[in-house]
Amino acid sequence: MKILIAVPALNEENNVTVFYQAVQKEAARIHDIELHIIFIDDGSTDNTLAEIKQLCLTDSKIHYISFSRNFGKEAAIYAGLEYASEENYDYVIISDIDLQDPPSLIPEMIAEIITGEYDCIAARRVTRKGEPVIRSFFARQFYSVIRKLCEIDIADGARDFRIMTIQMARSLLSLKEKNRFSKGLFVWIGYKTKYLEYENIKRKSGETKWSFWKLCTYAIDGIIAFTTVPLYIAAICGILFCFISFLIIIYIIIKTLVFGDPVAGWPSTICIILMLGGIQLFSIGILGLYLSKTYIETKQRPLFIIREKK
Ligand code: UDP
Ligand code: MG
């Protein structure tokens, strides 16, 4: 039986060897299984690729793909799954390289999945200890919003860290969209998933690649990829305000007929104009977001470009 661990890496020169050693330690506990690793170098500008190549010289079960530039973690995950599918592995594991996805869970994941009861064994953080409080807060809010809006039940604290059957990996690959929100896609394709729980672990070395701004756009892209509810909200706002303005028009006509027309109400007029202007811009913004995503999808560009692989 052959299992592949797909590991996206962007500027992780200090983590490559540490990760490899941690996995080797676990591999010693697993029997009758060929465990391979593929590193997907996502356009690193430090020595990550050199470190990976160094490891390749010592171990034939290590492979790598190096992108021509940074294409993002989602693209790297896709490349890893594609490799597993082409090379006919039986199962694929997706894992971060910074040891925040504890390799110590791997033997348990493998033991669970080979029973055949589940198609995917995923890891779920039960705490966000060690993460900035504001970041945790917004992350929680985001997941509760996306769960309500999109009707996809992303488990709280679910990570990309998981093992899945090659069949499930191929289903993921069959979703060709460019705006990929993996956490949602995992749920969307269905299959049976079991969650293993663990406590949050601090990154081994280096820094997180996710700035607050990047997380915000990730959140918006995630919502847009999975639901058109924001468009409905914009449309409903429009209808609601038409209705309200209709009532106000009737009120003003009656008031003018009964009491005459003393000129007043300039401030309220300005308030109404500003508010409607705001709502219009908001709605156009939502429309624009969907349009821009559609535009990007129609270009049919590849998700990533490979510069080297082994
Ligand atoms: N990563 C990547 N491309 C990117 C950003 C991140 O391949 O554009 C990799 C990174 O090297 C790591 C994993 O994705 O292996 C998770 O990144 P990070 O630890 O920065 O995210 P966090 O754990 O803070 O959510
Ligand atoms: Mg991390």
mmCIF file of all heavy atoms in Angstrom, residues 218-252:
data_model
loop_
_atom_site.group_PDB
_atom_site.id
_atom_site.type_symbol
_atom_site.label_atom_id
_atom_site.label_comp_id
_atom_site.label_asym_id
_atom_site.label_seq_id
_atom_site.Cartn_x
_atom_site.Cartn_y
_atom_site.Cartn_z
ATOM 1 N N TYR A 218 -9.360 36.020 2.002
ATOM 2 C CA TYR A 218 -9.611 34.573 1.985
ATOM 3 C C TYR A 218 -11.054 34.297 2.415
ATOM 4 O O TYR A 218 -11.762 33.489 1.806
ATOM 5 C CB TYR A 218 -8.630 33.906 2.944
ATOM 6 C CG TYR A 218 -8.764 32.399 3.103
ATOM 7 C CD1 TYR A 218 -8.367 31.539 2.091
ATOM 8 C CD2 TYR A 218 -9.264 31.848 4.281
ATOM 9 C CE1 TYR A 218 -8.463 30.166 2.248
ATOM 10 C CE2 TYR A 218 -9.363 30.483 4.451
ATOM 11 C CZ TYR A 218 -8.964 29.635 3.431
ATOM 12 O OH TYR A 218 -9.070 28.284 3.601
ATOM 13 N N ALA A 219 -11.486 35.021 3.457
ATOM 14 C CA ALA A 219 -12.847 34.842 3.970
ATOM 15 C C ALA A 219 -13.874 35.243 2.913
ATOM 16 O O ALA A 219 -14.833 34.506 2.642
ATOM 17 C CB ALA A 219 -13.032 35.676 5.239
ATOM 18 N N ILE A 220 -13.655 36.408 2.285
ATOM 19 C CA ILE A 220 -14.618 36.879 1.273
ATOM 20 C C ILE A 220 -14.628 35.905 0.092
ATOM 21 O O ILE A 220 -15.699 35.509 -0.397
ATOM 22 C CB ILE A 220 -14.254 38.305 0.803
ATOM 23 C CG1 ILE A 220 -14.456 39.281 1.968
ATOM 24 C CG2 ILE A 220 -15.117 38.714 -0.388
ATOM 25 C CD1 ILE A 220 -14.047 40.698 1.669
ATOM 26 N N ASP A 221 -13.458 35.484 -0.362
ATOM 27 C CA ASP A 221 -13.384 34.543 -1.486
ATOM 28 C C ASP A 221 -14.096 33.238 -1.146
ATOM 29 O O ASP A 221 -14.761 32.642 -1.995
ATOM 30 C CB ASP A 221 -11.925 34.242 -1.848
ATOM 31 C CG ASP A 221 -11.285 35.401 -2.590
ATOM 32 O OD1 ASP A 221 -12.022 36.343 -2.947
ATOM 33 O OD2 ASP A 221 -10.064 35.380 -2.800
ATOM 34 N N GLY A 222 -13.942 32.803 0.106
ATOM 35 C CA GLY A 222 -14.595 31.567 0.535
ATOM 36 C C GLY A 222 -16.108 31.674 0.425
ATOM 37 O O GLY A 222 -16.771 30.780 -0.095
ATOM 38 N N ILE A 223 -16.636 32.801 0.898
ATOM 39 C CA ILE A 223 -18.086 32.987 0.848
ATOM 40 C C ILE A 223 -18.560 33.052 -0.600
ATOM 41 O O ILE A 223 -19.523 32.402 -0.996
ATOM 42 C CB ILE A 223 -18.485 34.258 1.635
ATOM 43 C CG1 ILE A 223 -18.247 33.995 3.125
ATOM 44 C CG2 ILE A 223 -19.939 34.632 1.374
ATOM 45 C CD1 ILE A 223 -18.464 35.174 4.021
ATOM 46 N N ILE A 224 -17.825 33.810 -1.410
ATOM 47 C CA ILE A 224 -18.221 33.975 -2.812
ATOM 48 C C ILE A 224 -18.151 32.653 -3.570
ATOM 49 O O ILE A 224 -18.967 32.380 -4.461
ATOM 50 C CB ILE A 224 -17.320 35.042 -3.458
ATOM 51 C CG1 ILE A 224 -17.678 36.357 -2.790
ATOM 52 C CG2 ILE A 224 -17.512 35.098 -4.971
ATOM 53 C CD1 ILE A 224 -17.458 37.550 -3.552
ATOM 54 N N ALA A 225 -17.178 31.811 -3.185
ATOM 55 C CA ALA A 225 -17.025 30.540 -3.890
ATOM 56 C C ALA A 225 -18.185 29.596 -3.585
ATOM 57 O O ALA A 225 -18.462 28.685 -4.352
ATOM 58 C CB ALA A 225 -15.704 29.883 -3.503
ATOM 59 N N PHE A 226 -18.850 29.816 -2.465
ATOM 60 C CA PHE A 226 -19.830 28.815 -2.050
ATOM 61 C C PHE A 226 -21.272 29.257 -2.012
ATOM 62 O O PHE A 226 -22.158 28.445 -1.830
ATOM 63 C CB PHE A 226 -19.431 28.221 -0.698
ATOM 64 C CG PHE A 226 -18.508 27.072 -0.886
ATOM 65 C CD1 PHE A 226 -17.151 27.257 -0.950
ATOM 66 C CD2 PHE A 226 -19.022 25.807 -1.107
ATOM 67 C CE1 PHE A 226 -16.304 26.208 -1.207
ATOM 68 C CE2 PHE A 226 -18.188 24.746 -1.369
ATOM 69 C CZ PHE A 226 -16.824 24.941 -1.415
ATOM 70 N N THR A 227 -21.501 30.547 -2.142
ATOM 71 C CA THR A 227 -22.899 30.964 -2.071
ATOM 72 C C THR A 227 -23.145 32.244 -2.856
ATOM 73 O O THR A 227 -22.240 33.061 -3.016
ATOM 74 C CB THR A 227 -23.344 31.172 -0.614
ATOM 75 O OG1 THR A 227 -24.685 31.622 -0.610
ATOM 76 C CG2 THR A 227 -22.491 32.183 0.110
ATOM 77 N N THR A 228 -24.382 32.376 -3.330
ATOM 78 C CA THR A 228 -24.755 33.619 -3.987
ATOM 79 C C THR A 228 -25.687 34.422 -3.078
ATOM 80 O O THR A 228 -26.288 35.398 -3.505
ATOM 81 C CB THR A 228 -25.470 33.329 -5.326
ATOM 82 O OG1 THR A 228 -26.444 32.326 -5.092
ATOM 83 C CG2 THR A 228 -24.496 32.841 -6.381
ATOM 84 N N VAL A 229 -25.750 34.019 -1.795
ATOM 85 C CA VAL A 229 -26.636 34.716 -0.849
ATOM 86 C C VAL A 229 -26.369 36.231 -0.800
ATOM 87 O O VAL A 229 -27.320 37.019 -0.764
ATOM 88 C CB VAL A 229 -26.547 34.082 0.565
ATOM 89 C CG1 VAL A 229 -27.193 34.953 1.603
ATOM 90 C CG2 VAL A 229 -27.223 32.723 0.554
ATOM 91 N N PRO A 230 -25.106 36.695 -0.831
ATOM 92 C CA PRO A 230 -24.887 38.151 -0.810
ATOM 93 C C PRO A 230 -25.619 38.890 -1.932
ATOM 94 O O PRO A 230 -26.087 40.007 -1.740
ATOM 95 C CB PRO A 230 -23.370 38.288 -0.959
ATOM 96 C CG PRO A 230 -22.829 37.051 -0.359
ATOM 97 C CD PRO A 230 -23.818 35.970 -0.729
ATOM 98 N N LEU A 231 -25.744 38.243 -3.100
ATOM 99 C CA LEU A 231 -26.487 38.873 -4.195
ATOM 100 C C LEU A 231 -27.959 39.021 -3.823
ATOM 101 O O LEU A 231 -28.591 40.034 -4.127
ATOM 102 C CB LEU A 231 -26.377 38.038 -5.471
ATOM 103 C CG LEU A 231 -25.029 38.090 -6.197
ATOM 104 C CD1 LEU A 231 -25.012 37.090 -7.329
ATOM 105 C CD2 LEU A 231 -24.771 39.486 -6.730
ATOM 106 N N TYR A 232 -28.480 38.001 -3.143
ATOM 107 C CA TYR A 232 -29.878 38.073 -2.704
ATOM 108 C C TYR A 232 -30.039 39.205 -1.692
ATOM 109 O O TYR A 232 -31.016 39.936 -1.715
ATOM 110 C CB TYR A 232 -30.310 36.760 -2.047
ATOM 111 C CG TYR A 232 -30.506 35.638 -3.032
ATOM 112 C CD1 TYR A 232 -29.440 34.864 -3.432
ATOM 113 C CD2 TYR A 232 -31.765 35.370 -3.570
ATOM 114 C CE1 TYR A 232 -29.605 33.836 -4.351
ATOM 115 C CE2 TYR A 232 -31.951 34.349 -4.485
ATOM 116 C CZ TYR A 232 -30.860 33.577 -4.868
ATOM 117 O OH TYR A 232 -31.029 32.577 -5.772
ATOM 118 N N ILE A 233 -29.059 39.312 -0.788
ATOM 119 C CA ILE A 233 -29.147 40.366 0.226
ATOM 120 C C ILE A 233 -29.208 41.726 -0.451
ATOM 121 O O ILE A 233 -30.041 42.576 -0.113
ATOM 122 C CB ILE A 233 -27.952 40.287 1.201
ATOM 123 C CG1 ILE A 233 -28.014 38.982 1.987
ATOM 124 C CG2 ILE A 233 -27.936 41.490 2.149
ATOM 125 C CD1 ILE A 233 -26.847 38.742 2.908
ATOM 126 N N ALA A 234 -28.348 41.914 -1.464
ATOM 127 C CA ALA A 234 -28.340 43.188 -2.182
ATOM 128 C C ALA A 234 -29.691 43.418 -2.860
ATOM 129 O O ALA A 234 -30.266 44.519 -2.788
ATOM 130 C CB ALA A 234 -27.221 43.199 -3.218
ATOM 131 N N ALA A 235 -30.209 42.372 -3.489
ATOM 132 C CA ALA A 235 -31.486 42.510 -4.193
ATOM 133 C C ALA A 235 -32.615 42.809 -3.203
ATOM 134 O O ALA A 235 -33.456 43.685 -3.446
ATOM 135 C CB ALA A 235 -31.793 41.233 -4.972
ATOM 136 N N ILE A 236 -32.601 42.103 -2.065
ATOM 137 C CA ILE A 236 -33.664 42.309 -1.073
ATOM 138 C C ILE A 236 -33.585 43.712 -0.488
ATOM 139 O O ILE A 236 -34.603 44.389 -0.289
ATOM 140 C CB ILE A 236 -33.593 41.225 0.021
ATOM 141 C CG1 ILE A 236 -34.026 39.888 -0.604
ATOM 142 C CG2 ILE A 236 -34.491 41.561 1.199
ATOM 143 C CD1 ILE A 236 -33.744 38.681 0.238
ATOM 144 N N CYS A 237 -32.362 44.197 -0.243
ATOM 145 C CA CYS A 237 -32.185 45.581 0.227
ATOM 146 C C CYS A 237 -32.844 46.525 -0.769
ATOM 147 O O CYS A 237 -33.556 47.455 -0.388
ATOM 148 C CB CYS A 237 -30.694 45.939 0.273
ATOM 149 S SG CYS A 237 -29.945 45.601 1.826
ATOM 150 N N GLY A 238 -32.609 46.294 -2.049
ATOM 151 C CA GLY A 238 -33.174 47.142 -3.102
ATOM 152 C C GLY A 238 -34.690 47.161 -3.030
ATOM 153 O O GLY A 238 -35.317 48.231 -3.005
ATOM 154 N N ILE A 239 -35.272 45.977 -2.941
ATOM 155 C CA ILE A 239 -36.740 45.881 -2.908
ATOM 156 C C ILE A 239 -37.298 46.575 -1.662
ATOM 157 O O ILE A 239 -38.242 47.349 -1.713
ATOM 158 C CB ILE A 239 -37.179 44.399 -2.924
ATOM 159 C CG1 ILE A 239 -36.782 43.778 -4.257
ATOM 160 C CG2 ILE A 239 -38.673 44.265 -2.692
ATOM 161 C CD1 ILE A 239 -36.933 42.274 -4.310
ATOM 162 N N LEU A 240 -36.622 46.328 -0.528
ATOM 163 C CA LEU A 240 -37.053 46.907 0.740
ATOM 164 C C LEU A 240 -37.069 48.428 0.661
ATOM 165 O O LEU A 240 -38.038 49.082 1.070
ATOM 166 C CB LEU A 240 -36.077 46.446 1.832
ATOM 167 C CG LEU A 240 -36.575 46.552 3.246
ATOM 168 C CD1 LEU A 240 -37.644 45.484 3.480
ATOM 169 C CD2 LEU A 240 -35.425 46.333 4.224
ATOM 170 N N PHE A 241 -36.015 48.986 0.082
ATOM 171 C CA PHE A 241 -35.934 50.440 0.033
ATOM 172 C C PHE A 241 -36.929 51.031 -0.961
ATOM 173 O O PHE A 241 -37.445 52.123 -0.753
ATOM 174 C CB PHE A 241 -34.501 50.894 -0.224
ATOM 175 C CG PHE A 241 -33.725 50.931 1.056
ATOM 176 C CD1 PHE A 241 -33.056 49.813 1.527
ATOM 177 C CD2 PHE A 241 -33.722 52.073 1.838
ATOM 178 C CE1 PHE A 241 -32.383 49.837 2.730
ATOM 179 C CE2 PHE A 241 -33.046 52.101 3.050
ATOM 180 C CZ PHE A 241 -32.381 50.978 3.499
ATOM 181 N N CYS A 242 -37.209 50.309 -2.038
ATOM 182 C CA CYS A 242 -38.266 50.759 -2.968
ATOM 183 C C CYS A 242 -39.581 50.860 -2.210
ATOM 184 O O CYS A 242 -40.308 51.849 -2.304
ATOM 185 C CB CYS A 242 -38.449 49.758 -4.104
ATOM 186 S SG CYS A 242 -37.227 49.934 -5.370
ATOM 187 N N PHE A 243 -39.852 49.839 -1.419
ATOM 188 C CA PHE A 243 -41.096 49.771 -0.670
ATOM 189 C C PHE A 243 -41.185 50.928 0.330
ATOM 190 O O PHE A 243 -42.190 51.638 0.403
ATOM 191 C CB PHE A 243 -41.158 48.413 0.041
ATOM 192 C CG PHE A 243 -42.424 48.186 0.791
ATOM 193 C CD1 PHE A 243 -43.636 48.014 0.115
ATOM 194 C CD2 PHE A 243 -42.430 48.148 2.184
ATOM 195 C CE1 PHE A 243 -44.814 47.808 0.806
ATOM 196 C CE2 PHE A 243 -43.603 47.950 2.884
ATOM 197 C CZ PHE A 243 -44.803 47.786 2.193
ATOM 198 N N ILE A 244 -40.087 51.134 1.064
ATOM 199 C CA ILE A 244 -40.072 52.215 2.054
ATOM 200 C C ILE A 244 -40.269 53.561 1.367
ATOM 201 O O ILE A 244 -41.061 54.406 1.810
ATOM 202 C CB ILE A 244 -38.747 52.203 2.855
ATOM 203 C CG1 ILE A 244 -38.684 50.935 3.705
ATOM 204 C CG2 ILE A 244 -38.628 53.445 3.734
ATOM 205 C CD1 ILE A 244 -37.358 50.736 4.399
ATOM 206 N N SER A 245 -39.584 53.759 0.228
ATOM 207 C CA SER A 245 -39.696 55.057 -0.442
ATOM 208 C C SER A 245 -41.138 55.257 -0.956
ATOM 209 O O SER A 245 -41.659 56.367 -0.916
ATOM 210 C CB SER A 245 -38.690 55.157 -1.585
ATOM 211 O OG SER A 245 -39.026 54.273 -2.608
ATOM 212 N N PHE A 246 -41.755 54.172 -1.382
ATOM 213 C CA PHE A 246 -43.143 54.258 -1.846
ATOM 214 C C PHE A 246 -44.054 54.748 -0.712
ATOM 215 O O PHE A 246 -44.868 55.658 -0.895
ATOM 216 C CB PHE A 246 -43.583 52.869 -2.334
ATOM 217 C CG PHE A 246 -44.974 52.815 -2.859
ATOM 218 C CD1 PHE A 246 -45.301 53.434 -4.054
ATOM 219 C CD2 PHE A 246 -45.965 52.127 -2.156
ATOM 220 C CE1 PHE A 246 -46.597 53.376 -4.542
ATOM 221 C CE2 PHE A 246 -47.261 52.079 -2.636
ATOM 222 C CZ PHE A 246 -47.582 52.698 -3.830
ATOM 223 N N LEU A 247 -43.859 54.178 0.488
ATOM 224 C CA LEU A 247 -44.652 54.606 1.647
ATOM 225 C C LEU A 247 -44.406 56.077 1.951
ATOM 226 O O LEU A 247 -45.346 56.849 2.219
ATOM 227 C CB LEU A 247 -44.287 53.766 2.877
ATOM 228 C CG LEU A 247 -44.682 52.287 2.840
ATOM 229 C CD1 LEU A 247 -44.321 51.617 4.165
ATOM 230 C CD2 LEU A 247 -46.183 52.147 2.583
ATOM 231 N N ILE A 248 -43.128 56.489 1.879
ATOM 232 C CA ILE A 248 -42.799 57.882 2.200
ATOM 233 C C ILE A 248 -43.432 58.827 1.177
ATOM 234 O O ILE A 248 -43.942 59.897 1.533
ATOM 235 C CB ILE A 248 -41.258 58.065 2.258
ATOM 236 C CG1 ILE A 248 -40.713 57.267 3.444
ATOM 237 C CG2 ILE A 248 -40.879 59.544 2.415
ATOM 238 C CD1 ILE A 248 -39.207 57.269 3.562
ATOM 239 N N ILE A 249 -43.429 58.414 -0.100
ATOM 240 C CA ILE A 249 -44.031 59.261 -1.140
ATOM 241 C C ILE A 249 -45.520 59.489 -0.836
ATOM 242 O O ILE A 249 -46.005 60.624 -0.843
ATOM 243 C CB ILE A 249 -43.865 58.601 -2.541
ATOM 244 C CG1 ILE A 249 -42.389 58.675 -2.962
ATOM 245 C CG2 ILE A 249 -44.748 59.310 -3.584
ATOM 246 C CD1 ILE A 249 -42.045 57.829 -4.166
ATOM 247 N N ILE A 250 -46.209 58.420 -0.510
ATOM 248 C CA ILE A 250 -47.636 58.558 -0.187
ATOM 249 C C ILE A 250 -47.837 59.500 1.004
ATOM 250 O O ILE A 250 -48.659 60.419 0.988
ATOM 251 C CB ILE A 250 -48.247 57.173 0.124
ATOM 252 C CG1 ILE A 250 -48.232 56.350 -1.165
ATOM 253 C CG2 ILE A 250 -49.672 57.308 0.661
ATOM 254 C CD1 ILE A 250 -48.735 54.948 -0.978
ATOM 255 N N TYR A 251 -46.971 59.305 2.041
ATOM 256 C CA TYR A 251 -47.051 60.139 3.239
ATOM 257 C C TYR A 251 -46.862 61.603 2.875
ATOM 258 O O TYR A 251 -47.620 62.485 3.309
ATOM 259 C CB TYR A 251 -45.985 59.654 4.236
ATOM 260 C CG TYR A 251 -45.717 60.595 5.381
ATOM 261 C CD1 TYR A 251 -46.635 60.709 6.431
ATOM 262 C CD2 TYR A 251 -44.551 61.362 5.425
ATOM 263 C CE1 TYR A 251 -46.394 61.570 7.482
ATOM 264 C CE2 TYR A 251 -44.294 62.224 6.474
ATOM 265 C CZ TYR A 251 -45.222 62.332 7.508
ATOM 266 O OH TYR A 251 -44.980 63.175 8.545
ATOM 267 N N ILE A 252 -45.858 61.886 2.016
ATOM 268 C CA ILE A 252 -45.556 63.282 1.670
ATOM 269 C C ILE A 252 -46.692 63.883 0.848
ATOM 270 O O ILE A 252 -47.100 65.037 1.075
ATOM 271 C CB ILE A 252 -44.209 63.354 0.908
ATOM 272 C CG1 ILE A 252 -43.073 63.112 1.901
ATOM 273 C CG2 ILE A 252 -44.031 64.733 0.245
ATOM 274 C CD1 ILE A 252 -41.714 63.017 1.294
#
